[in-house]
Amino acid sequence: VLLGLFILITRFFIQRAMLVPDKLFHAALQKENDGCFEEAELGYQSALLEVKSRRFQSNKLKGAIIEKLKVLNTVIEYRKMSKANI
C-alpha cells in the first residue's frame, strides 16, 4: 500500500514538473499575440532553459521554441530598423 502511494505521489510530481515549460511557452505565446515581442522573447528563452534542464526533454516543444525565437528575433530587428529609418 505504501509503495503504491509512493508511486502515485512521485508520478504526480513528475507530471506536474513537465508542465512548467508548457506554461512558460503559452505565457510567451500570449505576450507575442499581445505585441510585446521583447517580453515574449524572454518568456521563450525561459521555456527553452526549462526544457533543456529536464532529464526527459521534449524535442517537439524544444523545436517549436527555437523556431519562435528565430521569428521573434527577426521581427524585433525589423522593428528596430523601421524605427531608425523614421
Side-chain angles (χ1 to χ4, degrees), residues 17-29 31 37-54 61-62 65-66 68-69 72:
M18 296 298 279
L19 294 176
V20 172
D22 291 326
K23 289 179 181 179
L24 290 171
F25 178 81
H26 289 293
L29 185 61
K31 292 289 185 188
F37 298 118
E38 288 82 7
E39 291 177 32
E41 183 181 23
L42 292 174
Y44 286 129
Q45 289 172 350
S46 297
L48 185 60
L49 286 174
E50 282 292 323
V51 168
K52 287 181 177 179
S53 71
R54 300 288 173 212
L61 181 60
K62 184 178 176 181
I65 293 170
I66 290 171
K68 285 286 190 179
L69 282 169
L72 272 179

Side-chain angles (χ1 to χ4, degrees), residues 3-41:
L3 180 61
L5 182 63
F6 176 74
I7 291 171
L8 285 174
I9 291 172
T10 304
R11 184 176 175 193
F12 170 76
F13 284 114
I14 289 172
Q15 286 179 343
R16 189 170 179 205
M18 296 298 279
L19 294 176
V20 172
D22 291 326
K23 289 179 181 179
L24 290 171
F25 178 81
H26 289 293
L29 185 61
Q30 186 65 42
K31 292 289 185 188
E32 182 182 357
N33 290 339
D34 291 341
C36 303
F37 298 118
E38 288 82 7
E39 291 177 32
E41 183 181 23

